[in-house]
Each structure stands twice: as structure tokens, then as C-alpha cells.
């Protein structure tokens, strides 16, 4: 087991810098190098890392190849723009370094195959950093599902429902890559937050798999109206031909007959939601009400019960969260950023497969180009590749760990 | 103008009997005849009607043809099983009687065409009795949308989310027709409650139309589990091969780029919901939170506001509902059953087209067989017929009335 995990980070935007700072709060992690296409960003990150760990030297690159080839790095964390996730993960694995990919969808299914085939060739693991898999509500749901409280789960849904108009519209000014995607593509750009947890609820790649999807996009109006309002009708931005529909819904059918509904909703005014919903033969959960109803367990027939009565109760809460709450929650997005990164760091330390592996990541990232294809073909169903080449039928849970997402290993927790 | 509207009712189940009693509460309505395939039901309804209006005679039939041919009837209300709605409406119109069709989907799109062509041939109107169009929340939303509070509406959704396991599973014992449908078909069986209001929000058949849909169904588990639990695993019912998926989601694309999402969810434990959602460039409504957010109007940025602050406020509430509340709400389902029936009765009295006309009804009823086709073909998109033969492009609002659903005619209300 490695005492210290030595990391390089590629992509030093807001997300990359935040991730670097969080990693530097972990005594068993060292940052050896940072990389960004913008030299000022790389330099700023280097100086910040050296400030946080006085006496250390951190290299700053604009060429990722120089970072991945270093001999003193165990793992590469990829917090770049979406379209670079695939080839950066491939480069890291080819150089023998564990890869960690931030949330985002692919541009082609072949990108996802490249990640899978590189893993299979090199044997070097790759983890998809879906933080929401470690959210308190999501982990509680995971435990309730594995404990059969919902009975047989037949349908799940979720979304990325987040008003990002300000970030997107000012993309060219603040170096954010979202805007160019919205100008040119139309699809389910950001399936990870909803689909990451769903995959684990439904045993995807481990006894089940996603078979087909259909997608439909509404017209695109929100961003244009926002631009006109904020930059003026005579701004050149107001003439932009925005392709991404305001609401994109994607329906996915699984091999064992379950359905999933994903919603992408980022260019209209609205309060934030991940719109989680789980339905089984014994009950239903609905995030937008923060409510649950379990037949025979909830106190009143056919009436919602506050979900807080579950995630605030160690009889139902996931033990990782009970431990985390007891020891003091830390890290961004309510703590889940910390937990997902610990899951990665500890997998590198132990030299084992991470809880969200290359197959989970590939299936997740592929939803984006597949949804684009379906929308482009008027909602035609498209097949989701089996990235496991049939191994999903007999694959069991990921290695036992506190961070496992296929089983709940109660014996690993002191609580 | 007719002072008295003379009505015959076909289908004297629970819904038919309730409708008859409500009609008999209206002094300007007379019931002349009732009809049911079960003679005891018809006879019971006849006796009940004569009891409620002492001194009158009500005919009871088992053959609908004898009812529709009577010369003393102005209108026929059809509260039969779903599969009979089409030919009964055709028979009524052919006999010169206004037809009113209760909620339900068709079995083929040609049934819908038959209704449309019969109306066009005879000139006799046909109304679809979608009560939810007259719900308090739905009417308030209609007003807010027509007043542009949501900005440009780009997406709407709704569902029929109602645990009907008890009613369905005992269908053969209580003469309910739902069970046989669940045994043999898989589709969006009950689009009306969600889609009726949506059609009016998005000007369907009057400047807009529904173009295509895709549907996806989850596996069917809820009803079987319920049957095993309630009748025992060795009951012959436990062997039934149930075809209707527990959750059926349908995505609809409109000519002007809006999307609609319909959910059918009737065989799993859950609290009731119609799952309404409206999204535009200025705001969002969500029934499951009983909440709304209108940018610049709601008091807190990006935070939900109780929708009750709108439907309880005559500045936003639909004036029909303000009047209804003031004069005393009556009738089933919170009053909307009464309003939709008044809309029909008053259309017959005035000899005008009803607010939900033959084109609205045909488009609505057609969603059921089209969703079955899409599901059967693995989610393939299917075209929704243009039942107006292109007239939707130039059709204006329905005739001015208190019950109008295309415009809000404030001048007709004393409030």
C-alpha cells in the first residue's frame, strides 16, 4: 500500500483549482504538477499549490504529455473541458497512471471505447469522478434500494436542472467551454449527476445494462432571451444560432426492463434540482418534494413522508455518511466532492479498482453523443453499446471498500 | 337558445351514475334515457333518476341505438368503457345529437378520424369532457400563460399518477374494464388529465399542433405483486401475463418546437399526482411542490414560491374560478366535474361549438394507440395525425364564453 499518492492535475479552471486545494487538504496526497492550455492558469495554480504546501515544488505545464510522462506521479486527475476527457484519460493510462475523469459527456462513442480498450490493454484503472454518487440523499437511497425497501425498482429518474445562463452566455469572456457546445450541439450534455447514482441503483454493468435510448429536445429560447436582456439586442451574441434545446429529455431502457428518465435543463430560470425519483413495487422517492412513501412503513397510507426522517436516521442513512457526519463533513457540494476524491485516492493507495470504474464511466459518457444522434434523427431509438463485451452478465460488485457503491459493507464502519 | 337541455347517458357505471346525479342537480337539464350493457345497471340508474326528479319518466336501454334515435334528446353523454367512446360518439352525431365523451384513449387512430369525419359531415359538435381543464390550478396556469407570466413556454409535463391497483386487480369482479386493457395492451392509456390542459397551454389545433411522439414503458411488476399479496400466489389471477408497464413515459414534439412529457403511473404504491410542470423563458411551475418561480416576480431569486399565492389571489386566479368560489363550489373532483359539464350544457343551450372540440378530443384520444405503436417498435418516433387537415394554422380561439380555454374573457365575469 502506498502511504502517499502523488498526483498531477490537468485543467486548472475553477473546478480544477478547487479540486487541487481539496487534494492538498489531504495529508496523504502530494501535487507534483499542474497543466493548463492557458499558461497563466497553470502558473497561478502552481504558485497556489506551493503556497499551500510550503517548501514543495510543483511543475506547471501547458502540454499534458509532459505531465503524464513524469516518473514521480501515481495518478492524473482530469478537470479539463469535456471534449478533452477521453484522450487525456487514454494518455494517463498509457503512461501507467491511474486516471480520474471529472463529470462530462463524450463527443463520440468511440472516445468511450478508447478509454475502455486502453484500460483493458494496460490494466491501469480509470475512475469517473461522479460526486453525486456520494451525496447524502443518493447514498441513503442506495442503501434503501439494496435493503429492498423499494421492493423491485422499475423506474428511476433524475436531471441536471440548473440555471447556468450566466455562466454559458459569458463563456467567451470567462474562458468557459460550455457556450461553444450550446452553439453547436444539441443533446444530453451532462448526464452524470443523475445517471451515476441511477447506474448503481440498477446494477448497471454488474447484472444489468442500458440497452437503448430516445431523446427529445425543446426549442432553444432561454439563452437568447438572456443574452438580449443582459448584452442588448444589438450585441453580436444576440445573433448567435443556439442549437442546444432548453429542455432535453432522454428515456433509457435497461436489459431487465427498468426505465430511466434524464432531464437536462440549464437555460431557463429555475431553482436548482437533480430531480431524483425512484419507483419500486413497494415505494417511491421524489427529490423535488424531499419526500418518500414506502407502503407499510410510511406512517400514513398514500401520503408522503419527509425523506429527512431517513437520511437523518442512522437506521436508514448510509454508514459512510453517518461516519462522515460524526467526524465532520468537509469539501465542496456538501461533502460529496471530498468523498468521491477519497474513493479515488484510496483506490490508488490500495492498488485496486475504483468504485466507479472504466465501464461505468464509458457508459455514462456515451449517453451524450447517443442522445445527440437520437435528437438529430427525430427521436429514433439508438442502441447503447455494451462496453463490457458481455462481462456485465456475470460481473459481481466492485472490491469491498467503504466507498463501494454496489454493496454496503457495514463491517468496515465503526458507527 | 334552449331553456332545457335533454340528455341521454350511455354507460351507467360509477362514473356514469355520478355524472347523472350531477346533471340532475342542474335545473336546466333533464335526463330522458339511460343505457348500459348490464340491464341491472340501466334499471338502477333509471330508478335513481326518477327518484331525484319525482314525476318524470326515464327510459332504460341496453341497446345504445335505441337511446340515440329518440326524438326528445338534445345531447348524449358517453361514460362507457374506453373502447366504446368512438362509435358511440359517431352514433350520437349521426343521430343529430351533441356528443360528450368522457376521458379515455382510443384503440386506433381511425376511431379518432371517424369522430372527426362524422362531425364534419353532420355539423353536430362533439366535446371531450376533460375535467382537469377546469381544475383550479390548471385554470390559474392557463391565465398566467396567456398573460405571458411564463414568457415563451417551451416545455410542459404532466401525468396520471394514481395508484389504481385495487380497482384494476378486481376488474373482473367489479365489472371494471381497466383490467382487460392492462392484460393485453401497453401504452399511455390515460393521457387526458395531463394533455387536456397542456393542449390549451400550447394552442394545439389553433396555431400549433402535436407532430410526433416516442413512448417507453418499464417492466410490469406492481400489479402482479399486488395480486399475489391480495389474492394469494395460487390464485389464477397470479398467473396473468400483464402487458401494461408500471411506468409509461411519452415525449411529444410540437410544430413550434415545444416538448411535452406525459407519465402514466397507476400500478405502484404512491400518493396521487397529476405531475404538472410548465417551463418558459421567465419561469417554472411544479405541481409536486405546489410551487412556482417567476423571475423578477417571485420574491426571492432562484427560490420557489407557494403556488397558493397565485390561485388564492384573484389578481392571478382565473375569473371563472373566482366566480365559482364566490358562488359556492359544487360537483366532484373539487368542482371541475361541474364546470366541464356546464361548459357542455351551455354549449348545447347556445347551439355553439364547445371549448374542447372534436379536434382536441381526437388528438388527445389518438395518443393512446400511437404510444402503443411506439412502444411496440422499441421507442420509434411515430407521427401524430393532423386531424384538422391543416386548419390548425389559421384557426382562432373557440367561441367566446365563460368556459373558453383559448382566451380568458374577463368581460363575461361579474367579479
Amino acid at each position: 500500500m502506498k502511504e502517499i499518492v502523488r498526483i498531477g492535475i490537468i485543467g486548472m479552471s475553477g473546478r480544477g483549482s478547487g479540486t487541487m486545494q481539496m487534494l492538498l487538504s489531504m495529508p496523504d496526497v502530494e501535487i507534483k504538477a499542474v497543466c493548463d492550455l492557458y499558461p497563466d492558469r497553470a502558473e497561478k495554480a502552481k504558485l497556489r499549490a506551493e503556497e499551500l504546501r510550503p517548501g514543495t515544488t510543483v511543475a506547471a505545464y501547458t502540454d499534458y504529455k509532459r505531465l503524464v510522462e513524469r516518473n514521480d506521479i501515481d495518478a492524473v486527475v482530469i478537470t479539463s473541458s469535456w471534449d478533452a476527457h477521453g484522450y487525456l484519460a487514454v494518455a494517463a493510462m498509457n503512461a501507467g497512471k491511474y486516471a480520474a475523469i471529472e463529470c462530462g459527456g463524450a463527443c463520440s462513442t468511440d472516445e468511450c471505447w478508447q478509454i475502455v480498450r486502453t484500460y483493458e490493454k494496460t490494466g491501469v484503472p480509470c475512475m469517473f469522478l461522479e460526486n453525486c454518487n456520494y451525496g447524502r440523499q443518493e447514498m441513503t437511497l442506495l442503501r434503501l434500494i439494496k435493503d429492498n425497501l423499494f421492493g423491485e425498482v422499475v423506474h428511476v429518474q433524475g436531471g441536471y436542472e440548473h440555471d447556468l445562463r450566466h455562466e454559458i452566455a459569458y463563456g467567451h469572456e470567462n474562458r468557459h467551454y460550455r457556450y461553444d457546445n450550446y452553439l453547436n450541439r444539441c443533446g444530453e450534455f451532462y448526464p452524470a449527476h443523475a445517471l451515476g447514482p441511477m447506474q448503481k441503483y440498477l446494477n448497471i454493468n454488474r447484472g444489468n445494462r442500458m440497452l437503448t435510448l430516445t431523446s427529445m429536445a425543446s426549442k432553444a429560447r432561454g439563452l437568447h432571451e438572456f443574452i438580449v436582456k443582459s448584452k442588448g439586442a444589438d450585441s453580436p451574441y444576440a445573433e448567435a444560432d443556439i442549437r442546444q434545446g432548453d429542455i432535453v429529455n432522454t428515456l433509457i431502457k435497461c436489459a431487465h426492463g427498468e426505465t430511466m428518465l434524464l432531464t437536462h435543463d440549464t437555460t431557463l430560470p429555475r431553482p436548482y434540482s437533480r430531480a431524483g425519483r425512484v419507483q419500486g413495487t413497494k415505494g417511491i422517492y421524489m427529490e423535488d418534494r424531499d419526500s418518500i412513501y414506502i407502503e407499510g412503513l410510511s406512517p400514513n397510507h398514500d401520503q408522503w413522508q419527509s425523506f429527512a426522517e431517513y437520511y437523518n436516521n442512522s437506521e436508514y442513512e448510509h454508514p459512510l455518511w453517518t461516519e462522515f457526519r460524526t467526524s465532520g463533513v468537509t469539501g465542496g457540494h456538501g461533502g460529496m466532492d471530498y468523498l468521491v476524491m477519497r474513493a479515488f485516492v484510496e483506490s490508488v493507495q490500495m492498488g485496486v479498482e475504483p468504485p466507479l470504474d472504466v465501464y461505468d464511466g464509458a457508459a455514462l459518457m456515451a449517453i451524450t453523443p447517443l442522445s445527440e444522434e437520437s435528437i438529430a434523427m427525430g427521436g429514433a431509438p439508438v442502441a447503447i453499446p455494451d462496453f463490457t463485451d458481455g462481462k456485465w452478465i456475470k460481473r459481481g460488485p466492485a472490491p469491498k471498500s467503504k466507498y463501494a457503491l454496489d454493496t454496503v459493507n457495514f463491517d468496515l464502519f465503526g458507527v
Side-chain angles (χ1 to χ4, degrees), chain A:
Chain A
M1 182 182 141
K2 290 182 203 296
E3 299 256 320
I4 301 292
V5 173
R6 301 161 304 169
I7 290 177
I9 309 182
I10 307 178
M12 304 313 298
S13 63
R15 184 65 178 165
S17 308
T19 299
M20 183 188 78
Q21 292 203 197
M22 188 178 65
L23 284 165
L24 287 169
S25 77
M26 301 175 184
D28 52 1
V29 169
E30 287 176 5
I31 302 294
K32 291 293 182 187
V34 295
C35 176
D36 201 285
L37 289 171
Y38 297 103
D40 61 305
R41 268 190 183 170
E43 190 62 21
K44 189 177 161 197
K46 163 201 167 70
L47 295 174
R48 178 71 180 141
E50 290 173 348
E51 182 190 341
L52 287 167
R53 285 277 176 90
T56 61
T57 303
V58 175
Y61 302 109
T62 54
D63 179 358
Y64 73 89
K65 296 192 187 78
R66 295 192 53 207
L67 182 145
V68 300
E69 74 193 9
R70 285 177 68 114
N71 291 327
D72 61 351
I73 285 179
D74 306 305
V76 176
V77 172
I78 298 159
T79 48
S80 67
S81 60
W82 299 331
D83 60 319
H85 288 176
Y87 69 80
L88 293 174
V90 165
M93 284 185 280
N94 274 330
K97 278 82 177 177
Y98 267 69
I101 305 177
E102 252 299 344
C103 300
C107 293
S108 72
T109 47
D110 193 64
E111 259 182 271
C112 308
W113 278 117
Q114 293 295 319
I115 298 169
V116 166
R117 295 307 183 206
T118 305
Y119 160 74
E120 290 175 343
K121 182 185 72 181
T122 61
V124 178
C126 173
M127 176 163 169
F128 192 85
L129 294 175
E130 181 37 63
N131 53 356
C132 297
N133 276 77
Y134 292 96
R136 187 167 168 201
Q137 279 80 347
E138 287 87 346
M139 290 208 92
T140 302
L141 285 170
L142 182 75
R143 176 174 172 187
L144 298 183
I145 291 167
K146 301 300 175 195
D147 282 354
N148 202 37
L149 265 77
F150 285 96
E152 184 170 352
V153 175
V154 300
H155 177 73
V156 293
Q157 61 189 60
Y160 186 56
E161 305 188 338
H162 191 182
D163 177 3
L164 293 175
R165 289 173 299 167
H166 193 275
E167 174 185 301
I168 300 162
Y170 288 85
H172 283 173
E173 286 141 59
N174 64 14
R175 297 174 170 176
H176 205 289
Y177 52 87
R178 268 203 171 92
Y179 185 54
D180 284 325
N181 282 286
Y182 282 64
L183 279 180
N184 292 283
R185 305 167 70 190
C186 181
E188 171 47 83
F189 288 169
Y190 214 61
H193 289 339
L195 192 52
M198 285 179 186
Q199 285 189 309
K200 295 302 183 182
Y201 301 159
L202 294 182
N203 308 313
I204 299 300
N205 299 320
R206 298 179 186 277
N208 201 1
R209 82 173 190 91
M210 299 185 287
L211 276 186
T212 63
L213 68 77
T214 63
S215 274
M216 190 179 282
S218 79
K219 57 186 164 187
R221 290 291 185 274
L223 202 51
H224 174 77
E225 198 167 304
F226 178 85
I227 288 168
V228 167
K229 205 166 149 190
S230 58
K231 304 192 186 199
D234 51 1
S235 149
Y237 287 96
E239 286 168 29
D241 176 28
I242 294 152
R243 302 314 305 156
Q244 170 70 351
D246 289 323
I247 305 287
V248 177
N249 277 300
T250 301
L251 289 163
I252 298 174
K253 188 77 181 252
C254 299
H256 282 282
E258 303 88 349
T259 49
M260 296 167 156
L261 170 63
L262 293 176
T263 305
H264 188 268
D265 168 5
T266 61
T267 46
L268 298 172
R270 62 160 303 134
Y272 179 87
S273 176
R274 293 201 293 277
R277 176 162 159 171
V278 173
Q279 287 192 263
T281 53
K282 292 194 166 74
I284 177 170
Y285 161 76
M286 184 168 267
E287 179 183 330
D288 281 313
R289 294 187 61 101
D290 196 26
S291 291
I292 189 168
Y293 173 67
I294 304 287
E295 196 168 42
L297 179 63
S298 293
N300 301 306
H301 180 66
D302 263 1
Q303 282 181 42
W304 293 108
Q305 174 184 19
S306 167
F307 188 49
E309 294 172 33
Y310 290 75
Y311 60 75
N312 282 334
N313 177 348
S314 60
E315 200 182 324
Y316 299 112
E317 187 186 30
H318 194 287
L320 181 66
W321 260 95
T322 309
E323 184 183 79
F324 196 34
R325 280 202 293 137
T326 309
S327 64
V329 171
T330 181
H333 291 122
M336 61 191 183
D337 290 359
Y338 184 84
L339 291 177
V340 74
M341 197 52 85
R342 286 308 303 173
F344 178 63
V345 167
E346 295 183 27
S347 298
V348 182
Q349 280 178 326
M350 311 289 286
V352 296
E353 286 291 335
L356 285 154
D357 69 8
V358 70
Y359 301 111
D360 298 330
L364 226 159
M365 293 169 70
I367 298 304
T368 300
L370 294 171
S371 75
E372 290 178 85
E373 291 171 16
S374 176
I375 291 166
M377 297 189 296
V382 297
I384 301 172
D386 172 11
F387 290 105
T388 73
D389 292 332
K391 291 189 286 289
W392 65 273
I393 296 173
K394 299 211 171 174
R395 282 180 94 219
K400 191 166 175 172
S401 87
K402 282 188 176 185
Y403 301 96
L405 294 167
D406 308 307
T407 47
V408 186
N409 299 303
F410 290 96
D411 55 311
L412 299 180
F413 297 92
V415 290

